[in-house]
């Protein structure tokens, strides 16, 4: 088994774990951390594929993904602090103001 | 295959499971930090030194500090953060996870077994990269010529995110 195939399988496992974290944890901060784990798994996969195929594009996309993850976590965490200020908790089932 | 990459990968898989099942959010955040550090190690081991550095500085440094700061600011209790106990949701999520892992694994296996030779390989083999002056130099050249517009769009997105974060943190909800 080559390094790249192994890294791809690791990325698939981390992606699955990220999906489970997003779906199964109760508080919003864990959902955001799960999204970070998903992005990290996608980064691993992109780097390994661009290494396998001797390309540089995947690695540049990883840079863009990291920058977007930084932006997303800044906005997400400030939304979360706002949520806590208004509802007193960050459980996912409490933020139901927009629910029809 | 490289034994160091194997060790890093096994540790990060264990940490991912720990992140899913840990009760305390701080434990989960520390597990995520470990996963990011292990990923940086893997990047460094396969020769992507620039991405490894950025991963350490931006992900493991800035983003995780922001997460841990938020957890400590909000002072979360363990009871808020447990796994969902609803058996329907739990079973559905586990089934979805297994299906997703199977699908991605199948696609990867297919690529490496059957369609590996259909891909037209690029020019940046490790020898060429060393000849051109290293990974960072090649990436910088490509970033500021071929991907210049994307780079500018990302800077714009970061600016919007900074303004949005300030506006959200200041505003009082009516």
């Amino acid at each position: 088994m080559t390094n790249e195939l192994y890294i791809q399988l690791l990325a698939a496992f981390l992606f699955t774990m990220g999906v489970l974290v997003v779906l199964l944890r109760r508080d919003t901060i864990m959902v955001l951390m799960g999204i970070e784990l998903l992005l990290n798994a996608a980064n691993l996969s992109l780097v390994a594929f661009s290494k396998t195929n001797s390309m540089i594009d995947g690695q540049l996309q990883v840079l863009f993904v990291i920058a977007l993850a930084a932006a997303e976590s800044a906005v997400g965490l400030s939304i979360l602090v706002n949520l806590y200020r208004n509802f007193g908790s960050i459980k996912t089932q409490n933020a139901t103001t927009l629910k029809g | 295959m490289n034994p160091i990459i194997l060790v890093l990968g096994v540790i990060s898989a264990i940490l991912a499971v720990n992140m899913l099942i840990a009760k305390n959010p701080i434990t989960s955040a520390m597990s995520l930090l470990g996963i990011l550090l292990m990923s940086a190690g893997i990047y460094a081991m396969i020769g992507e030194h620039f991405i490894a550095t950025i991963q350490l500085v931006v992900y493991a440094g800035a983003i995780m500090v922001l997460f841990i700061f938020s957890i400590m600011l909000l002072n979360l209790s363990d009871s808020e953060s447990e796994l969902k106990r609803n058996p329907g949701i739990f079973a559905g999520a586990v089934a979805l996870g297994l299906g997703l892992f199977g699908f991605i694994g199948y696609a990867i296996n297919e690529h490496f077994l059957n369609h590996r030779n259909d891909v037209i390989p690029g020019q940046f083999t490790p020898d060429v990269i060393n000849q051109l002056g290293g990974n960072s130099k090649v990436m910088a050249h490509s970033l500021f010529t071929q991907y210049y517009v994307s780079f500018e769009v990302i800077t714009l997105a970061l600016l919007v995110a900074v303004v949005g974060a300030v506006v959200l943190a200041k505003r009082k909800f009516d």
Side-chain angles (χ1 to χ4, degrees):
Chain A
M1 196 158 76
T2 60
N3 279 336
E4 277 80 14
L5 177 58
Y6 170 69
I7 293 173
Q8 295 293 348
L9 289 178
L10 175 69
F13 181 75
L14 290 182
F15 193 87
T16 311
M17 279 297 144
V19 169
L20 288 184
V21 168
V22 169
L23 288 177
L24 285 179
R25 295 297 292 246
R26 279 178 197 275
D27 51 356
T28 323
I29 201 159
M30 282 307 301
V31 174
L32 282 176
M33 278 203 260
I35 293 173
E36 298 293 329
L37 186 56
L38 290 175
L39 290 172
N40 190 54
N43 282 347
L44 266 179
S45 183
L46 277 172
V47 168
F49 266 126
S50 78
K51 198 75 187 168
T52 318
N53 299 331
S54 303
M55 287 176 184
I56 201 94
D57 308 44
Q59 302 171 29
L60 289 165
Q61 283 166 20
V62 167
L63 286 187
F64 298 147
V65 169
I66 290 177
L68 274 184
E72 171 254 321
S73 74
V75 174
L77 288 170
S78 58
I79 288 175
L80 195 138
V81 169
N82 230 341
L83 199 71
Y84 187 78
R85 209 189 264 164
N86 293 307
F87 295 102
S89 125
I90 55 166
K91 281 187 184 179
T92 44
Q93 66 262 38
N94 285 356
T96 51
T97 304
L98 285 178
K99 194 175 178 183
Chain B
M1 63 186 284
N2 195 327
I4 300 178
I5 295 183
L6 181 67
V7 171
L8 291 173
V10 169
I11 294 175
S12 63
I14 293 171
L15 284 174
V17 176
N18 185 39
M19 180 185 167
L20 176 64
I21 62 178
K23 279 201 166 60
N24 197 331
I26 284 284
T27 317
S28 290
M30 287 299 163
S31 301
L32 180 58
L33 181 59
I35 294 168
L36 298 176
L37 294 178
M38 299 301 142
S39 304
I42 291 175
Y43 294 148
M45 287 307 296
I46 61 174
E48 312 298 340
H49 302 119
F50 185 68
I51 291 184
T53 314
I54 295 294
Q55 172 99 355
L56 283 179
V57 172
V58 177
Y59 249 128
I63 296 181
M64 286 318 291
V65 164
L66 204 58
F67 270 106
I68 293 170
F69 171 75
S70 306
I71 293 173
M72 297 178 100
L73 178 75
L74 303 180
N75 199 11
L76 302 172
S77 61
D78 286 3
S79 65
E80 282 195 43
S81 181
E82 284 176 346
L83 289 174
K84 282 180 181 154
R85 294 291 179 209
N86 186 338
I89 293 178
F90 193 84
V94 170
L96 181 73
L98 283 177
L100 196 64
F101 185 69
F103 178 69
I104 300 175
Y106 172 75
I108 290 168
N109 200 30
E110 188 78 358
H111 171 79
F112 276 90
L113 283 185
N114 299 334
H115 299 286
R116 180 76 183 79
N117 296 325
D118 299 349
V119 180
I120 302 165
Q123 51 173 334
F124 292 104
T125 56
D127 293 337
V128 174
I129 287 178
N130 282 334
Q131 210 175 5
L132 289 174
N135 182 255
S136 312
K137 200 170 178 181
V138 172
M139 282 183 68
H141 186 264
S142 191
L143 184 63
F144 291 116
T145 53
Q146 190 184 355
Y147 283 90
Y148 183 68
V149 178
S150 315
F151 179 77
E152 290 297 325
V153 171
I154 290 289
T155 57
L156 201 63
L158 276 173
L159 179 70
V160 171
V162 169
V163 174
V166 170
V167 168
L168 278 170
K170 273 179 74 74
R171 192 180 56 173
K172 288 271 186 293
F173 208 86
D174 293 329

